[in-house]
Amino acid sequence: MAPQVAEGDETPRSTPHDTPYSAARPFIDVGSPSFRFDDRRLRTARTEGLLPDSVYGPVVCDHATVGRLLRQPTLVHDPWRQLRCSGVTDHAIGSWFASLLIFSRAEDHDVLRQRMRPLLRGPAFDPSFAAAEALAATAGPDGECEFLADVADAIVDAQAARLLDVDKATYREIAQPVRDLALIHRLMPLETLARAKAAVEHVQDFLGRLARREGVTAAGRPDWTRSRMSLLIGFEPYRLALGQLVAVLADHPRTWSAAAGDETTARSAVRELLRWMPTAPIQIRFTEEPLTLADRTLEPGRPVLLCAVQANRDAEPDGDAYRPRRVPSRPHLSFGAGLHYCVGATASERQLAAVLGVLAARFRTPEPTGTVRWGPPSGVQGPVEVPVRLTRRPAPPSAGVRR
């Protein structure tokens, strides 16, 4: 069930910041609904050392440059400029957008990392708990199903309820708003922003009730809320990665079977998936100082799109192929780099591997029953539907039963 590569729209759309285009450089419409960041034109640009244009700014594809720019302090998150890239100037929307974790300053991000460390190392993130919840969630399916709705949602909802110390029914009230939080990562049209804003308000109200229940003081409320919001934002990438694992490993039956009893195989398959198909395909940064890239110099305040998909594939000799038992040559950039490196990277990888092991032990290799349908290209990317047949493996004989 290998994903299909969409070619995107070749026609440049209007740009909000007057980027000059050159006929000598390819144009990539990264906002087209059919576009994918594993597009062959970006692959060609990467291999030929080109720097494609988009309406938002140049797209950087090679591993060395993306890694360097992710660590460069003069390339920054800038929520106001990102909103203007989408044609949004509303101050009220910008106020909440600017306060979210992904746009905090690097030093704030490091403080948050320290505050979240006990949570990420606590029992709710123990892989054994992830495996137990996965086992419970797979009690029903046996036959054709839509994996995200019928399996992944139940796994994520149960783990989130455990993490927040609420019952599953209570968490399900905000499950969809939590998924909508992923919309904040996109280069967003107005209707998407409105939906994301509603999700943030709903989730913040929910967290406010939890904080009062836990007796969090007014002084400690901002840090408490930010740490919980950071965890919630990570649930949708985790859910989509589960869908991608099932979709991709349908073409790798040996790895699927081996993952049932071998944690090393499961972690290798997960790590390779995160490299090959990251749920965050791009990161957008803005220049604080003039920046020279290839044949041009960008003035301060200009956007640059750092393409993790292509950079990760540039990191390996045959990086365009998914090799579940690959020994990496260089680290992938799916979780970022430097001070903004994702705080939940290690915990997410371990939980994904634990859940894969349970799924592989419970079911034979997934059989595709239809076409995987993919979500929009930017922000948090992944499948919308993964139609498969999950066939249960025969139960092992009970101990002590003679045959």
Side-chain angles (χ1 to χ4, degrees):
M1 192 183 291
Q4 299 299 308
V5 176
E7 299 305 336
D9 184 355
E10 298 282 358
T11 305
R13 299 180 297 171
S14 60
T15 170
H17 43 68
D18 302 323
T19 301
Y21 296 107
S22 166
R25 294 192 291 266
F27 175 82
I28 307 292
D29 186 358
V30 299
S32 170
S34 64
F35 180 76
R36 291 282 304 278
F37 280 93
D38 54 4
D39 187 287
R40 62 173 176 78
R41 290 165 298 152
L42 281 183
R43 184 167 65 246
T44 300
R46 182 193 82 212
T47 57
E48 296 183 2
L50 301 176
L51 196 65
D53 272 320
S54 75
V55 294
Y56 303 104
V59 185
V60 184
C61 296
D62 69 283
H63 185 273
T65 306
V66 170
R68 173 173 62 83
L69 294 179
L70 283 170
R71 295 177 175 87
Q72 188 161 320
T74 57
L75 270 183
V76 298
H77 291 295
D78 191 320
W80 298 104
R81 288 194 178 104
Q82 182 164 341
L83 286 172
R84 286 196 290 273
C85 283
S86 298
V88 178
T89 57
D90 184 277
H91 182 79
I93 293 177
S95 295
W96 65 259
F97 194 70
S99 68
L100 294 171
L101 166 69
I102 59 170
F103 296 109
S104 62
R105 295 174 302 169
E107 54 267 35
D108 294 335
H109 192 90
D110 193 48
V111 170
L112 183 64
R113 185 190 309 277
Q114 303 305 317
R115 293 185 180 277
M116 289 184 64
R117 188 164 290 164
L119 286 172
L120 296 173
R121 292 180 176 176
F125 271 96
D126 189 305
S128 64
F129 284 112
E133 299 295 4
L135 191 63
T138 58
D142 187 12
E144 292 189 17
C145 69
E146 196 289 293
F147 179 79
L148 290 172
D150 296 331
V151 180
D153 285 356
I155 294 172
V156 175
D157 292 355
Q159 291 180 13
R162 180 190 292 277
L163 178 67
L164 297 172
D165 192 24
V166 298
D167 59 75
K168 295 178 184 178
T170 298
Y171 178 75
R172 288 193 186 103
E173 295 176 6
I174 64 158
Q176 187 57 53
V178 166
R179 289 165 198 157
D180 286 345
L181 291 178
L183 297 171
I184 65 176
H185 295 270
R186 290 189 188 155
L187 298 165
M188 295 175 285
L190 287 172
E191 62 272 16
T192 304
L193 264 177
R195 190 170 147 205
K197 184 173 185 291
V200 170
E201 291 172 347
H202 197 152
V203 171
Q204 285 181 332
D205 178 69
F206 173 80
L207 291 180
R209 297 197 303 271
L210 285 188
R212 290 191 293 272
R213 186 195 73 178
E214 295 182 17
V216 179
T217 65
R221 179 74 66 84
D223 286 340
W224 183 93
T225 300
R226 178 166 288 207
S227 65
R228 268 58 180 184
M229 196 74 153
S230 304
L231 294 174
L232 293 175
I233 288 172
F235 287 143
E236 181 64 0
Y238 174 66
R239 170 179 171 270
L240 295 177
L242 286 174
Q244 291 177 172
L245 266 175
V246 169
V248 171
L249 288 180
D251 290 332
H252 297 270
R254 289 186 180 179
T255 298
W256 178 271
S257 296
D262 184 354
E263 182 182 353
T264 300
T265 297
R267 294 196 68 170
S268 176
V270 166
R271 191 177 298 113
E272 172 69 352
L273 180 87
L274 294 172
R275 176 200 71 83
W276 187 67
M277 190 183 292
T279 54
I282 61 165
Q283 299 189 46
I284 187 168
R285 297 287 193 272
F286 292 83
T287 58
E288 284 194 325
E289 298 178 357
L291 176 68
T292 299
L293 290 173
D295 59 346
R296 79 192 85 173
T297 298
L298 302 179
E299 296 302 316
R302 310 300 286 183
V304 180
L305 274 63
L306 308 178
C307 185
V309 176
Q310 294 297 332
N312 290 344
R313 298 184 181 196
D314 186 52
E316 303 296 334
D318 60 343
D320 289 307
Y322 175 76
R323 310 280 188 210
R325 297 176 184 269
R326 184 190 301 275
V327 177
S329 302
R330 289 182 283 180
H332 67 68
L333 301 172
S334 300
F335 291 116
L339 283 177
H340 279 284
Y341 186 76
C342 176
V343 297
T346 301
S348 297
E349 182 180 298
R350 294 178 67 212
Q351 287 207 324
L352 284 167
V355 172
L356 172 59
V358 166
L359 292 174
R362 174 62 65 93
F363 301 108
R364 300 184 189 276
T365 305
E367 301 174 59
T369 58
T371 301
V372 175
R373 188 162 66 88
W374 296 90
S378 66
V380 178
Q381 180 178 273
V384 175
E385 292 180 354
V386 182
V388 293
R389 178 179 293 103
L390 294 177
T391 304
R392 294 216 194 156
R393 297 185 186 277
S398 301
V401 176
R402 300 181 64 181
R403 302 187 62 179

